[in-house]
Amino acid sequence: MRAIAEFAMRSRVRAVILTLVGIPLISPAVLALVGLRRGSSDGLFVLAWAILPLVAAAGYMSPLMAGLAITHFVGVLAGALVLRATRAWSWALVALTIVSALGILVTSQAAGGVLETLTQAINEAAGGADTPEAQQLSQAFASEVQATGYLTWVSVISAVLALLLGRWWQSLLYNPGGLQQEMHALRMPLPLAAAGMLLWVYCLVNEHFVFWGAVAAFPMMVAGICLVHWLVARKGWGRGPLIAMYITLVIAALPLAGFLCGLALIDSWIDIRARSSDNR
């Protein structure tokens, strides 16, 4: 992985080549690394080349797929540039989430809606529309709002993972250990935390907006995860609690997400790390 980062940093042309290859996670992470290290000029240059094939293939590619890919790249670069400018993961996560949401909404309008395409993909993956699995999954996307919310949620998660990988590469090459310090210190500003929590609670009571609630709460959830990482590292508990947390996120996402968001809100209010330091 280090070799990929070193190759990309040698020139803009090499970075463009890696983004044009279109490797999931790797290509957008290269774009994030360029934006983080070299700023908006090189970042926008690589972005333009990354999306050029998507624009050129507009007549042969569905607007939905092209829009999703473009949104992914733009969201990753937006997060990287905000992180470079502010050195604050909280604002980078918010910027990435907003840009991704706007991109999906524009894509949905340009594609004439995403529900039909998403339902068709689910049916094909499940082996037919009449299978119990397909019917169960289709019920989760009963409206266009749910479908766009789900795609936005997936887009935000994948974009954050790409940004994390890009920042890890930057830390590996130029600032060993820097990413861990940043993530352990991640704390959402109280107004953003309160707004995210209110939006999430509002969306929870409306089934059509459940996924949009997950999108609004995602920066909060990341902050909660980072706080748990800090606590585990401070107490020297090893990797066991972290493994258990991620397994629980897979099998019982909603309850744990609520706990993590609540933890992040409390941290935004009272600054758990500072209080812990004062009590040492």
Side-chain angles (χ1 to χ4, degrees):
M1 295 293 278
R2 182 190 181 100
I4 296 175
E6 290 175 340
F7 180 86
M9 286 291 96
R10 285 174 187 157
S11 70
R12 294 198 300 183
V13 173
R14 295 191 179 193
V16 167
I17 291 172
L18 286 176
T19 56
L20 286 174
V21 171
I23 304 174
L25 190 62
I26 299 296
S27 293
V30 169
L31 176 61
L33 175 60
V34 172
L36 286 166
R37 183 64 183 174
R38 296 180 177 170
S40 58
S41 178
D42 280 21
L44 291 172
F45 176 84
V46 175
L47 174 65
W49 279 99
I51 65 176
L52 182 61
L54 299 171
V55 176
Y60 307 94
M61 190 176 187
S62 72
L64 177 58
M65 297 305 298
L68 290 176
I70 292 172
T71 294
H72 186 54
F73 278 117
V74 174
V76 169
L77 182 60
L81 294 179
V82 170
L83 181 58
R84 173 185 169 90
T86 64
R87 299 185 181 276
W89 271 95
S90 56
W91 291 108
L93 290 171
V94 171
L96 184 153
T97 300
I98 292 174
V99 170
S100 297
L102 291 175
I104 296 298
L105 290 173
V106 171
T107 297
S108 175
Q109 292 297 317
V114 301
L115 179 59
E116 182 178 350
T117 303
L118 185 59
T119 302
Q120 182 179 355
I122 290 172
N123 293 338
E124 291 177 356
D130 296 330
T131 61
E133 294 82 3
Q135 292 177 358
Q136 185 177 5
L137 289 172
S138 296
Q139 290 176 358
F141 307 108
S143 69
E144 188 68 30
V145 174
Q146 288 177 322
T148 53
Y150 172 76
L151 289 179
T152 303
W153 180 57
V154 172
S155 180
V156 168
I157 292 175
S158 59
V160 168
L161 291 175
L163 179 57
L164 279 170
L165 178 57
R167 179 64 188 94
W168 178 70
W169 278 338
Q170 186 189 31
S171 174
L172 193 65
L173 294 178
Y174 308 107
N175 182 26
L179 176 61
Q180 184 183 54
Q181 295 174 5
E182 292 173 5
M183 301 312 292
H184 282 185
L186 174 57
R187 176 170 170 261
M188 297 297 293
L190 183 56
L192 290 179
M197 183 63 79
L198 287 173
L199 282 172
W200 186 53
V201 172
Y202 171 79
C203 292
L204 278 179
V205 300
N206 189 327
E207 63 177 0
H208 294 288
F209 291 94
V210 169
F211 288 115
W212 284 107
V215 171
F218 191 73
M220 293 274 292
M221 191 175 73
V222 174
I225 290 173
C226 290
L227 182 59
V228 172
H229 272 265
W230 168 83
L231 180 62
V232 169
R234 186 174 184 275
K235 297 294 185 180
W237 289 340
R239 297 181 179 179
L242 299 179
I243 294 173
M245 177 181 68
Y246 286 113
I247 291 175
T248 306
L249 270 175
V250 173
I251 62 179
L254 187 58
L256 184 56
F259 169 77
L260 292 171
C261 289
L263 191 62
L265 180 61
I266 294 172
D267 183 44
S268 298
W269 184 22
I270 66 174
D271 195 348
I272 295 173
R273 297 172 187 83
R275 287 177 178 266
S276 177
S277 298
D278 292 341
N279 293 332
R280 292 183 63 178

